[in-house]
Amino acid sequence: MQSKGGWYSVQTGRRDGSVSLAKNVNLPGPSTQWRIPLQYSTAKELVPKTWFTFLGGHTVGVTHCSFIKNRLYNFNNTQSTDPTMQTELAVSLKLKCPHTSTIHNRVDLDQGGSSLAIVGEPTSKIVDNSFYKQIVICRGVL
């Protein structure tokens, strides 16, 4: 991974336990409205700033079409695209995730470059602040 910031040594390994099982995970899903994660963070005694820091982890990685198809084709059971998603992004994602496709193509979570001038060049392998910039201009994938 590349980072646009400084570098320092960090110990590796889990510090929250010795077992990691999916059945023990209780996190809001990708189709959850933004208010739910905020309520979740309050219940876990996390301040909203901490939750938004966690969300920034989405600057690295991918999702699959199956997780975003509802936003593209049936947002809130309206048979239409999520109106908060930038039109150009929706068109681009629909090309990667056709409505009738059964293939779960991968989609970069971070759809922008490391500056707003480079929109459209995914930086999902670079840790930067592009994810947050993309959210502000309605280019959030999840």
Side-chain angles (χ1 to χ4, degrees):
M1 293 292 158
Q2 297 179 14
S3 172
K4 297 290 183 171
W7 182 90
Y8 56 92
S9 180
V10 177
Q11 291 183 358
T12 60
R14 295 185 65 94
R15 302 290 180 245
D16 61 345
S18 59
V19 176
S20 179
L21 301 172
K23 70 178 185 173
N24 296 338
V25 176
N26 181 22
L27 293 172
S31 61
T32 304
Q33 294 289 327
W34 66 270
R35 288 179 187 90
I36 302 300
L38 287 178
Q39 292 168 356
Y40 173 86
S41 64
T42 302
K44 295 288 184 182
E45 298 181 7
L46 300 171
V47 294
K49 182 178 179 180
T50 302
W51 186 255
F52 287 108
T53 301
F54 290 156
L55 288 177
H58 290 98
T59 192
V60 177
V62 299
T63 189
H64 291 89
C65 291
S66 58
F67 289 109
I68 63 171
K69 274 192 168 182
N70 280 344
R71 283 195 76 202
L72 297 174
Y73 299 105
N74 191 23
F75 183 70
N76 287 343
N77 295 316
T78 61
Q79 301 297 314
S80 61
T81 304
D82 180 347
T84 65
M85 183 181 284
Q86 187 187 65
T87 303
E88 293 83 6
L89 176 63
V91 169
S92 171
L93 293 176
K94 285 179 179 182
L95 291 174
K96 291 180 184 178
C97 304
H99 184 47
T100 57
S101 175
T102 58
I103 298 172
H104 301 290
N105 293 332
R106 295 186 326 178
V107 176
D108 290 310
L109 290 173
D110 186 343
Q111 289 288 309
S114 55
S115 75
L116 290 178
I118 313 175
V119 171
E121 295 180 21
T123 62
S124 61
K125 295 181 181 176
I126 299 173
V127 177
D128 58 12
N129 64 357
S130 174
F131 172 80
Y132 295 110
K133 291 178 179 180
Q134 296 299 303
I135 295 297
V136 170
I137 59 171
C138 300
R139 292 183 59 85
V141 174
L142 292 176

